[in-house]
Amino acid sequence: MAADLTDFGNWLAVPSVVCLWIAVLLRAPGALRSPQQRGLWLAVATAAAAMTLNLPDVVAYAMRRDPGYAHTIGLVRNLIGVLSAGAVLYFVAAATRGRRLQLGAWVGTLAWLTALVALDAAAPAHGTHTMPPVGEPVPSLAYWLVLISAHLAANTICVFVCWRYGGRTESRGLALGLRLFGLGTALAGLFWFAYLLKALVDSTWAMPALPLMMNLHGLLRAAAILVPTLFTLRRSAADVATAWRLWPLWRDLVQVVPHVALNKPRAGRLLELLWPPVPRDMVVYRKVIETRDAILILGEYVAPGLPELARSHVAGTGVPEQRRTAAALACVLKEARQAKLDGLPQQAGETVALELPAAIQPSAEGGDLADEARFLVDVAEAYGSPATTAFTP
């Protein structure tokens, strides 16, 4: 059982490192521009580098070469690990805006790195750094205690801050990211605590689980820094779906009221989404605003009594009650659009007869764009439905 656990943990090493590097590369542009994210990104990047040097194949290759090469790989791996611990402390300090903690993170990191190099140089000639199941730690017990203390201090503080602030923030993305990072850091803390037990009391019962702990920690940290990217992708996918569903209604209305469009429409719906004439994050906003403006203008071409006829028609077609307002508006817009195309005169004062949500009334101040978009999507779906096509007042 213990051997299977170790084998599974070692098998997870490569996927964990690959996920870490993917997350690091994807988040690099935004993280390097943001002081708040820079420490978190650096902590994950350095952890990825240290875990890369700790891959079973990398360690085996170093051992097959000369002891000097294995020693260099082991020392560099541990120094990068301490740098990762220092970056974790810096991230915590930046999150809590603690100037003293930020300074302490850099001073402590420098002190730990210096101590490790000095203890390594003072030790007898040795190969790779290791904590063997049997025998003395290499290069020395003092070296490993300094290394373990760096990781345990950083991980303990980080877990406390992540769980504390993760429960306070109102941002779902930030809360999820902090909790994933805190959980991954907790696993890393357990990893180093097991090493502390081995160093002090020669306890080895947790050693088979250490590869699994470390590699799960890598996956969780990768997921933590990818949370903003995943939320952005989800928001972008929702915007694309909304723009796609709005397009038929928007196109028909803009054709008869072209001056409401900021830019000339593309030739087709797919081209409009793949190559939008406005910045991509503004596509839904422009579609909603232009559709709303066109609706308000076409309200001036609504014949007297038409909204009441539309509502009566919709009520008799089996449309669910919560969608009847949108369906009735779709019927009215179809007739108003045709009236504009036929050159019929405007019907002064009929705009107020349209039953519109408060967000798109002419007198509305602000309004929720998401609610307005949802309502207009309902109108767009009803606009092409058989019930609207069958409406002939």
Side-chain angles (χ1 to χ4, degrees), residues 127-139:
T128 188
H129 298 177
T130 182
M131 181 83 73
V134 179
E136 294 296 320
V138 180

Side-chain angles (χ1 to χ4, degrees), residues 25-365:
L25 294 175
L26 287 176
R27 292 298 302 158
L32 293 177
R33 289 193 300 265
S34 171
Q36 291 79 17
Q37 299 181 29
R38 202 172 296 149
L40 176 63
W41 180 87
L42 180 61
V44 177
T46 47
M51 291 178 66
T52 301
L53 294 177
N54 199 42
L55 287 172
D57 290 343
V58 174
V59 173
Y61 173 76
M63 296 294 288
R64 285 196 299 268
R65 294 191 59 172
D66 57 273
Y69 184 80
H71 162 260
T72 301
I73 293 294
L75 178 61
V76 170
R77 178 177 64 236
N78 290 338
L79 293 178
I80 293 176
V82 170
L83 185 60
S84 176
V88 167
L89 281 178
Y90 179 82
F91 158 66
V92 170
T96 58
R97 298 179 181 179
R99 296 285 185 180
R100 292 183 179 178
L101 186 56
Q102 283 180 308
L103 180 60
W106 288 118
V107 172
T109 302
L110 183 60
W112 277 316
L113 292 173
T114 303
L116 288 181
V117 172
L119 290 169
D120 178 76
H126 55 276
T128 188
H129 298 177
T130 182
M131 181 83 73
V134 179
E136 294 296 320
V138 180
S140 67
L141 177 60
Y143 176 95
W144 277 93
L145 289 178
V146 170
L147 178 63
I148 292 169
S149 69
H151 285 283
L152 283 180
N155 292 338
T156 302
I157 296 173
C158 181
V159 170
F160 173 76
V161 171
C162 284
W163 284 99
R164 181 181 181 185
Y165 284 86
R168 289 182 176 183
T169 180
E170 296 180 358
S171 168
R172 291 175 56 198
L174 180 58
L176 178 60
L178 285 173
R179 284 175 174 165
L180 286 173
F181 195 84
L183 183 57
T185 304
L187 287 175
L190 290 175
F191 174 94
W192 289 107
F193 184 70
Y195 265 121
L196 181 64
L197 293 179
K198 172 65 177 66
L200 295 180
V201 297
D202 202 29
S203 173
T204 60
W205 64 271
M207 300 300 279
L210 296 191
L212 181 59
M213 286 183 188
M214 182 53 64
N215 293 316
L216 283 177
H217 136 269
L219 291 174
L220 288 168
R221 282 194 172 180
I225 68 169
L226 281 177
V227 164
T229 301
L230 296 177
F231 270 68
T232 299
L233 289 176
R234 188 181 72 168
R235 185 167 58 249
S236 297
D239 286 350
V240 167
T242 299
W244 179 270
R245 296 164 72 186
L246 275 177
W247 193 83
L249 174 66
W250 171 84
R251 176 203 54 194
D252 277 10
L253 299 188
V254 167
Q255 281 177 351
V256 295
V257 195
H259 63 274
V260 301
L262 180 65
N263 302 91
K264 184 178 179 180
R266 303 291 190 207
R269 175 157 45 170
L270 186 60
L271 188 61
E272 184 82 23
L273 292 178
L274 293 178
W275 186 30
V278 296
R280 194 168 298 277
D281 58 350
M282 296 288 290
V283 169
V284 170
Y285 175 78
R286 288 307 314 170
K287 290 285 184 290
V288 169
I289 295 300
E290 291 165 7
T291 303
R292 184 254 309 265
D293 291 348
I295 289 174
L296 296 176
I297 292 172
L298 289 177
E300 299 175 356
Y301 293 85
V302 175
L306 184 61
E308 289 75 12
L309 288 173
R311 285 192 286 271
S312 299
H313 169 76
V314 167
T317 59
V319 175
E321 185 173 354
Q322 65 270 23
R323 292 180 177 266
R324 287 180 185 174
T325 299
L329 178 58
C331 294
V332 171
L333 288 176
K334 175 174 146 312
E335 296 300 320
R337 178 181 181 275
Q338 191 59 49
K340 179 105 169 38
L341 287 173
D342 294 342
L344 298 180
Q346 298 179 2
Q347 305 290 328
E350 284 297 321
T351 302
V352 296
L354 294 177
E355 187 179 342
L356 304 178
I360 60 174
Q361 290 285 359
S363 60
E365 295 181 4

